[in-house]
Amino acid sequence: TVWNRDEYSMKIIRVISSSPVFNVDFHPDSAMLLPGRPVFYPDFGKDWMAVPYVAVRVNRLGKSISEKFASRYYDALSVAVRIVPSGGCDIPEGVLSGMDCSINFGEWICPQEFFGLGSVMIGDVPVGCHDVTKDVIDSIVSEASRLTSLRMGDVLMIPVVPECGIAISPRMRVVALCDGSRELLNIKVV
């Protein structure tokens, strides 16, 4: 499914932790890289990496959603990465949250199909997408809706292994493959 950022007024909610305390960070829609565009390797900081997530796309308005009904409030999942420095950056995390084009979404897939995907790899690094089950997503949608109203087009980002990220460099591609053949994400770093 092609998704045009301009169709929605949306926010990106990145889950930092869900236990014991639910903690999130908010990102503006300008942090999203538009499909087909390259990532420009930042000229500040050093040793940048792509941190993987499972992204959940919200499809209707909701506030204080019960876990029982949470699955009604999202219609697609994706593999996503966030570009962050691994060290040596004097810029505070809050400023990095607003960095343009630092969040990249792959192909949006209906939840039933996503849960049936095989092993996911970024390069030769396995990504723990299977740890994000329907129950985990429903719990996070419910918790996030207690903090803020969820609106059509909002995206929740749930961290997966490896949380330390995958090293990136200029003139490379970040590619997520399912079962070694299906391409879920393909981003050119320039």
Side-chain angles (χ1 to χ4, degrees), residues 3-82:
W3 185 31
N4 183 354
R5 171 175 75 188
D6 298 330
E7 291 177 9
Y8 302 102
S9 172
M10 50 84 82
K11 60 189 170 288
I12 301 168
I13 305 165
R14 179 174 55 92
V15 176
I16 297 170
S17 67
S18 57
S19 178
V21 177
F22 189 74
N23 188 11
V24 299
D25 192 10
F26 292 88
H27 300 265
D29 62 352
S30 61
M32 183 179 98
L33 180 72
L34 292 174
R37 301 236 175 122
V39 170
F40 290 93
Y41 193 84
D43 58 0
F44 61 94
K46 59 181 181 179
D47 301 327
W48 289 81
M49 59 187 174
V51 179
Y53 293 85
V54 168
V56 181
R57 186 175 67 190
V58 175
N59 66 338
R60 61 194 287 194
L61 177 67
K63 177 75 174 153
S64 297
I65 302 164
S66 164
E67 265 188 64
K68 179 179 177 182
F69 302 110
S71 62
R72 297 179 183 180
Y73 289 84
Y74 59 92
D75 65 348
L77 306 176
S78 176
V79 174
V81 293
R82 177 176 177 236

Side-chain angles (χ1 to χ4, degrees), residues 19 41 54 64 73 97 105 109 123 127 130-131 140 147 170 184 187:
S19 178
Y41 193 84
V54 168
S64 297
Y73 289 84
S97 295
F105 301 110
I109 302 170
V127 178
H130 287 108
D131 297 336
I140 287 173
L147 299 174
L184 301 174
I187 303 159

